[in-house]
Amino acid sequence: MPLYKRKPFSLVESPQHLDPQELVFQVRFTKEIFQDYQKYLKRLNLYRQRVWTCKVTGKTNLTYEEAFVSERRAMEKVQQFPKELMAPVLHMIQYSSLSLKDLVNEIYIKLQERLFEGLELHGRKEQSVFACKILMILDDGHNMQYKVGWVDKGKKVTDTSIIKAEDLIRKKPPFSRNILKAFIRESTSKSAPWVVHENLAKKHGISTEFPEELRDKLTIRNGKERKNAGRNNIMDAGDNRINKKRKNTKNENLEGMDMINKKIKKEEEKMKEKPVKYPIDDLLVQPGADDPVFTDRPTLSTDFCVPMDCLGDLLMVWDFCSSFNRLLHLWPFSLDDFENAICHKDSNLMLIVELHSAIIRLLIKDESDYFMAIQNKKRKLKITLTNWSEYLCDFLEMEDRVELSSHVTTIKRGHYGLLDIYVKLGILRELVSEALSTDAVREKLDDCIEQQQALAATRREGTRKKKDDQHLKEEETDVKEMDQEHIVGNGKENSCNSALAQGTKSVHSFKNNHISQNGDSKCDLSNSRETANKLRMDDGGGMERVKSLSGTKDNMKGQRRGKDKDKEAREKKPEDRERHLEREIEKLSIRTASLGKDRNYNRYWFFRREGRLFVESSDHKQWGYYSAKEELDALMGSLNPKGERERALQRQLEKYYHRISTALQKRSKDVAQKILLEEAVLRRSTRVRAQPRDSPAMAFLRYVNKWKEN
């Protein structure tokens, strides 16, 4: 269960003896039932606040539903934790006093250095590499040997051997640090020090007795706490004796007043109707007299070439290729071209071949299980147009891909193009899923996150500096106004104007001029020159000294023009810099997140390289899209800001309105231009029955990978 402010939270018990006809209110994700609408709203608003923590991952600042989903996903990952590693990992966790981060790093390093019984890895046998499992560690004090069992695809031991450590080939850790963190949190009851749950400790033979060192530390700490508690109790007892006498005399007078106040409050509560505080859950929003006129929501376009239930995989694969195209050495292609290529029946279509080859090369470089599989078959590490299907079949023949491996025969015969669309996208989905776990992709993601954080810190610093400069300017303006009011207070003008005397300019200061006591405005020229040399003028971004009082008029005008340009540059530079930083942060964003949900939980997606706004149904089975700026405007006008989901979606659409509307307009122009080109090509090719290859609709047939890796 999610934690409320890092503490356990109990749900409301269901009311008993409910009337079957009674109207009740139920929270969707907790199944709590309320008879009172105000109590239901109060609890719902509590769940919407970002004060919840995921118990398994430790993520904070979540809503209840987000924390609940995070826990469920983390539990699914924890269940994937290798059983053979549970016992050694739990031994390392038990009574460790390290922080969570240090404990995870220590366990991760030890698992890479040590070999345990039950560990699955690869071993050399008869000049080949095979999967094996350590059955026993044989240590005679001098040499370390391992009894291993050779396993088949079903992980059944077919034969045993005794080999040395140098003949064992380690696999990369079967889990990430995040999964290890979740496993530690889920398997422990305390964290200072870490204490494994009793049932887990008994199951894996882990000692539950405290070590002597920890016992001594706990004894000292408990002794200090008892002393402090004893002092507090003595002081509280003395205070209570003094206060008891005072309270007895006041209580008699206060009881009568309390009764009157309670009656008044009850009457006021009956008279007052509590207004609904918006936003609330969208499904609870009722039409109001103050509502604006909402536009009708436009109809979604659904003219896709692929089946509706395959569209999610199509978008996911295309978005991955677009985000990591440089890492994959894959020239970008449009979503329309990818969709047409998937539906095409050609088995050696260049776009499809290059896409599969790029991902397979990435898997080979990672030297994972797939790399071992092709090494055992002694394949060359060069993928070409003629042998790419062999590498694909090797990938599909690996374990845990039973459904897809049934199509290996068709691919080996050279009939990849005849596969169903859902099979083609299923294969690509598995390849992308494997590619996301490679070290190269993880490093790319880490680099992008680090750069984003650095740019965000720079932007925050620039914003803070801009505010400080603005505040400083306001203070200086106030000081100048106060000085001027002080000088002109007697109704006399006490400033010394600049004058030209015999070709020499004299600048008289406003603050430090020497005024005689009788009110005359006589200024000493020598003092004025010294003052002028010390005077500083605020020029928008910095302070410059007035260097010389003599010079020609042309020099003075040139200096003024230079100062004006500097001032304009300084004023524009922070804004341009902030826009530049925002653009750079957006470029580094690899993960595509949905813009939000509407009243009926439909999700809205916008991809940076695609000029359409996609809509996904709440059950993930239906898709549609908007492709015109007018449709975007109508959608925004149909959203009700009184609902939580539609208000958040409206804000996101307003934030990215310029970018989305520009992309929609650009795509509309491109589509219109393609139609004109197709008509022109068809007019030129009236004698040819088949559709000409140079038509814009057949652009996917002309795809060339300009970034292909040699």
Side-chain angles (χ1 to χ4, degrees):
M1 292 290 291
L3 302 176
Y4 176 64
K5 295 183 179 179
R6 299 183 180 274
K7 293 180 181 179
F9 182 81
S10 56
L11 301 179
V12 174
E13 294 182 1
S14 299
Q16 297 179 352
H17 310 297
L18 279 174
D19 185 1
Q21 303 298 325
E22 185 179 355
L23 179 66
V24 294
F25 306 93
Q26 186 182 43
V27 180
R28 174 175 50 83
F29 39 84
T30 63
K31 307 303 179 188
E32 292 173 293
I33 295 174
F34 294 87
Q35 294 171 292
D36 184 26
Y37 179 67
Q38 294 297 334
K39 289 182 180 178
Y40 166 74
L41 277 183
K42 186 177 179 182
R43 180 55 64 101
L44 201 62
N45 288 331
L46 176 63
Y47 289 147
R48 294 285 189 266
Q49 294 176 18
R50 295 193 171 276
V51 293
W52 300 91
T53 303
C54 174
K55 185 180 178 182
V56 181
T57 63
K59 291 180 181 177
T60 57
N61 298 327
L62 303 175
T63 64
Y64 184 94
E65 190 173 9
E66 289 172 348
F68 183 75
V69 171
S70 176
E71 283 186 7
R72 189 176 61 190
R73 289 177 180 170
M75 287 298 297
E76 290 173 359
K77 290 180 180 179
V78 169
Q79 289 172 2
Q80 298 171 6
F81 196 85
K83 293 181 181 179
E84 64 272 10
L85 295 178
M86 279 191 180
V89 169
L90 289 173
H91 273 287
M92 297 179 202
I93 294 171
Q94 184 73 313
Y95 301 129
S96 173
S97 55
L98 296 173
S99 65
L100 181 61
K101 184 179 178 181
D102 294 338
L103 181 59
V104 167
N105 290 333
E106 184 183 76
I107 293 172
Y108 213 74
I109 292 167
K110 285 183 179 178
L111 287 177
Q112 290 178 329
E113 292 175 350
R114 297 182 189 176
L115 296 173
F116 304 95
E117 290 183 7
L119 188 64
E120 293 182 3
L121 62 172
H122 292 88
R124 293 187 180 89
K125 179 185 177 184
E126 299 174 358
Q127 297 181 348
S128 296
V129 178
F130 298 96
C132 64
K133 183 179 181 180
I134 297 177
L135 302 177
M136 190 180 297
I137 299 173
L138 306 173
D139 186 8
D140 58 0
H142 300 286
N143 297 320
M144 185 80 75
Q145 291 184 323
Y146 301 90
K147 182 179 180 181
V148 298
W150 306 101
V151 295
D152 57 9
K153 289 183 179 179
K155 296 189 178 181
K156 292 182 180 179
V157 177
T158 57
D159 192 13
T160 60
S161 300
I162 296 175
I163 60 177
K164 297 179 180 178
E166 51 265 26
D167 293 328
L168 292 171
I169 301 171
R170 287 179 170 277
K171 293 164 63 176
K172 65 178 182 180
F175 51 83
S176 64
R177 283 180 166 81
N178 289 332
I179 292 177
L180 183 56
K181 279 183 184 178
F183 176 75
I184 292 171
R185 284 196 177 99
E186 187 62 24
S187 58
T188 55
S189 58
K190 293 181 181 179
S191 60
W194 297 97
V195 180
V196 177
H197 288 299
E198 272 191 48
N199 55 346
L200 277 175
K202 289 178 182 178
K203 183 178 177 181
H204 296 283
I206 298 168
S207 174
T208 55
E209 293 184 5
F210 269 81
E212 291 184 5
E213 296 177 0
L214 286 176
R215 207 177 292 170
D216 295 339
K217 288 180 181 178
L218 288 172
T219 305
I220 294 167
R221 190 171 66 185
N222 290 337
K224 289 181 179 178
E225 289 176 357
R226 284 173 191 164
K227 284 181 181 179
N228 292 333
R231 289 174 187 168
N232 292 336
N233 290 336
I234 292 168
M235 292 176 72
D236 290 343
D239 291 340
N240 288 336
R241 287 171 189 166
I242 296 167
N243 292 332
K244 197 174 284 185
K245 292 180 180 179
R246 296 176 183 172
K247 285 180 180 178
N248 288 336
T249 56
K250 291 181 181 179
N251 284 342
E252 294 177 359
N253 296 329
L254 291 173
E255 282 177 0
M257 293 297 293
D258 288 341
M259 293 293 292
I260 295 168
N261 289 332
K262 284 178 182 178
K263 288 180 181 179
I264 293 169
K265 283 181 181 179
K266 283 182 180 179
E267 290 176 1
E268 286 177 351
E269 286 174 0
K270 289 179 182 178
M271 294 292 291
K272 288 181 180 178
E273 292 183 2
K274 292 183 180 178
V276 179
K277 292 183 179 180
Y278 294 106
I280 60 173
D281 188 88
D282 298 66
L283 298 175
L284 299 174
V285 176
Q286 299 295 330
D290 58 338
D291 287 348
V293 178
F294 296 109
T295 58
D296 294 331
R297 194 157 299 181
T299 306
L300 291 168
S301 302
T302 57
D303 52 338
F304 301 110
C305 298
V306 301
M308 191 69 74
D309 55 347
C310 296
L311 199 69
D313 289 339
L314 181 85
L315 287 168
M316 184 272 291
V317 174
W318 175 79
D319 188 46
F320 171 80
C321 295
S322 300
S323 301
F324 294 96
N325 49 15
R326 292 191 179 276
L327 182 66
L328 294 168
H329 297 279
L330 187 66
W331 184 259
F333 47 84
S334 67
L335 180 60
D336 289 333
D337 287 347
F338 181 45
E339 188 178 10
N340 290 328
I342 284 290
C343 297
H344 206 264
K345 298 298 181 183
D346 189 356
S347 296
N348 284 320
L349 197 64
M350 192 55 65
L351 193 151
I352 297 297
V353 172
E354 291 294 341
L355 170 56
H356 286 80
S357 302
I359 300 176
I360 289 170
R361 286 192 196 98
L362 183 67
L363 298 180
I364 291 171
K365 286 181 182 178
D366 195 54
E367 297 186 359
S368 57
D369 295 342
Y370 177 69
F371 175 74
M372 296 295 178
I374 62 172
Q375 264 203 337
N376 290 337
K377 296 187 178 182
K378 298 180 179 179
R379 294 199 187 279
K380 296 179 180 178
L381 298 181
K382 187 174 182 180
I383 304 171
T384 62
L385 184 64
T386 56
N387 67 359
W388 74 276
S389 58
E390 296 175 6
Y391 287 88
L392 180 60
C393 291
D394 293 340
F395 176 78
L396 297 177
E397 286 173 348
M398 292 175 68
E399 49 193 62
D400 299 332
R401 296 188 180 93
V402 180
E403 293 181 5
L404 297 174
S405 60
S406 60
H407 304 285
V408 168
T409 307
T410 306
I411 298 172
K412 283 184 176 179
R413 288 175 182 169
H415 301 308
Y416 170 87
L418 300 178
L419 294 173
D420 290 333
I421 292 172
Y422 77 90
V423 176
K424 293 179 182 178
L425 288 171
I427 292 170
L428 285 169
R429 184 185 64 237
E430 289 295 321
L431 282 168
V432 170
S433 178
E434 194 72 20
L436 285 169
S437 63
T438 58
D439 292 336
V441 171
R442 287 178 181 175
E443 288 173 5
K444 176 70 174 174
L445 289 169
D446 291 341
D447 289 343
C448 289
I449 291 168
E450 287 178 5
Q451 290 178 38
Q452 276 184 322
Q453 290 174 346
L455 289 171
T458 306
R459 186 176 64 178
R460 285 195 299 271
E461 182 66 23
T463 306
R464 185 187 62 78
K465 189 177 179 182
K466 187 178 178 181
K467 288 181 179 177
D468 291 346
D469 291 345
Q470 189 175 0
H471 182 65
L472 187 63
K473 283 182 183 179
E474 290 175 358
E475 286 185 349
E476 289 176 353
T477 304
D478 293 341
V479 170
K480 286 179 181 178
E481 289 176 357
M482 289 174 64
D483 288 346
Q484 288 177 359
E485 289 175 2
H486 178 70
I487 291 170
V488 190
N490 296 327
K492 296 181 179 180
E493 185 178 358
N494 294 328
S495 60
C496 296
N497 298 324
S498 59
L500 286 170
Q502 296 178 357
T504 305
K505 293 181 181 179
S506 301
V507 178
H508 299 265
S509 172
F510 286 105
K511 292 182 181 179
N512 299 322
N513 54 351
H514 298 274
I515 302 173
S516 60
Q517 293 181 0
N518 57 5
D520 295 336
S521 58
K522 295 179 181 179
C523 300
D524 189 2
L525 285 176
S526 61
N527 289 334
S528 67
R529 289 193 185 95
E530 291 175 2
T531 307
N533 288 330
K534 294 178 181 178
L535 181 65
R536 293 186 177 187
M537 300 177 68
D538 184 7
D539 198 18
M543 305 290 285
E544 296 183 357
R545 290 185 179 275
V546 179
K547 294 179 180 179
S548 176
L549 302 178
S550 62
T552 63
K553 293 182 180 180
D554 292 337
N555 289 337
M556 295 292 288
K557 288 179 181 178
Q559 288 176 5
R560 280 198 208 95
R561 282 197 295 269
K563 288 180 180 179
D564 290 341
K565 287 180 181 178
D566 290 343
K567 186 175 181 179
E568 289 174 5
R570 289 191 195 100
E571 288 176 353
K572 290 180 181 178
K573 191 174 179 181
E575 296 174 1
D576 294 341
R577 191 161 176 248
E578 191 171 351
R579 284 195 217 101
H580 173 71
L581 288 171
E582 285 180 4
R583 285 195 297 269
E584 291 300 316
I585 290 170
E586 288 172 6
K587 286 179 186 176
L588 292 167
S589 298
I590 292 177
R591 179 176 173 271
T592 302
S594 68
L595 293 169
K597 303 176 187 175
D598 62 13
R599 173 188 174 89
N600 298 316
Y601 294 95
N602 299 317
R603 287 181 183 271
Y604 290 73
W605 298 86
F606 177 71
F607 300 93
R608 285 182 294 176
R609 301 164 188 87
E610 174 60 27
R612 284 180 283 184
L613 182 64
F614 289 89
V615 184
E616 179 189 10
S617 64
S618 57
D619 58 358
H620 314 295
K621 293 180 181 179
Q622 298 294 320
W623 286 82
Y625 68 86
Y626 297 123
S627 57
K629 180 178 178 292
E630 294 75 17
E631 291 176 332
L632 174 63
D633 294 336
L635 168 66
M636 293 177 67
S638 68
L639 299 174
N640 192 340
K642 287 184 177 180
E644 293 172 338
R645 290 185 293 280
E646 294 203 347
R647 172 179 281 199
L649 175 61
Q650 192 178 54
R651 286 180 176 175
Q652 287 295 98
L653 290 172
E654 288 172 354
K655 182 179 179 181
Y656 299 107
Y657 177 78
H658 178 71
R659 189 191 307 170
I660 297 172
S661 61
T662 304
L664 295 178
Q665 288 175 320
K666 183 178 181 298
R667 188 178 187 277
S668 299
K669 290 179 182 177
D670 292 342
V671 169
Q673 191 175 4
K674 283 181 181 179
I675 293 170
L676 291 173
L677 287 171
E678 284 176 13
E679 291 175 354
V681 170
L682 287 170
R683 281 197 299 271
R684 288 197 303 269
S685 309
T686 52
R687 295 181 183 180
V688 182
R689 289 183 181 179
Q691 194 173 12
R693 191 179 177 87
D694 57 349
S695 168
M698 308 298 285
F700 66 97
L701 296 173
R702 303 189 298 273
Y703 175 80
V704 177
N705 187 9
K706 298 178 183 179
W707 288 346
K708 187 173 181 179
E709 197 173 10
N710 295 325

